[in-house]
Amino acid sequence: KLIGRDGVTEFVNTNEYGEEWQVQPYEDMLFLEARETQFTSCKYPDKKAVANARKLRSAAGFDQLADKACQHLDTIDYALCVEDVMTTGDVGIAAGY
């Protein structure tokens, strides 16, 4: 279940859920430095980017490239890394983890 900050509201739409939990301007800083992602409007991928990601996922062998690029990570970060590599099509993004 995707539960909102109030502990009651249940979300179906993952974008709305993410916006619900985004750090608000009146809340304490979570990071050592102010970053854009602390509170801005969300940036969602355009439809072309999503279509390209789907093509990459179905491309023979690309999942193996993502696996190899992310193999240095633990279980949780590994899954996130593979998803990022598959979505962006950028194997180099794994170095940022």
Side-chain angles (χ1 to χ4, degrees):
K1 290 183 179 181
L2 303 175
I3 304 298
R5 288 176 175 239
D6 62 7
V8 178
T9 305
E10 191 172 330
F11 289 85
V12 175
N13 182 300
T14 55
N15 289 339
E16 291 174 2
Y17 174 72
E19 290 172 8
E20 168 78 1
W21 282 98
Q22 192 172 24
V23 177
Q24 301 297 314
Y26 55 83
E27 295 176 309
D28 292 335
M29 253 181 49
L30 295 178
F31 306 104
L32 295 177
E33 60 187 61
R35 294 175 19 181
E36 179 183 1
T37 56
Q38 284 223 316
F39 182 73
T40 64
S41 59
C42 294
K43 298 172 186 165
Y44 300 106
D46 62 30
K47 292 180 181 183
K48 185 176 180 181
V50 172
N52 287 341
R54 288 187 182 131
K55 286 179 187 176
L56 286 171
R57 286 189 176 121
S58 63
F62 194 79
D63 57 338
Q64 293 170 345
L65 291 174
D67 174 65
K68 185 175 181 179
C70 300
Q71 68 185 357
H72 64 284
L73 299 165
D74 64 28
T75 305
I76 294 171
D77 285 340
Y78 168 83
L80 294 171
C81 177
V82 169
E83 179 66 22
D84 285 348
V85 170
M86 295 295 287
T87 300
T88 64
D90 180 5
V91 176
I93 202 169
Y97 278 84

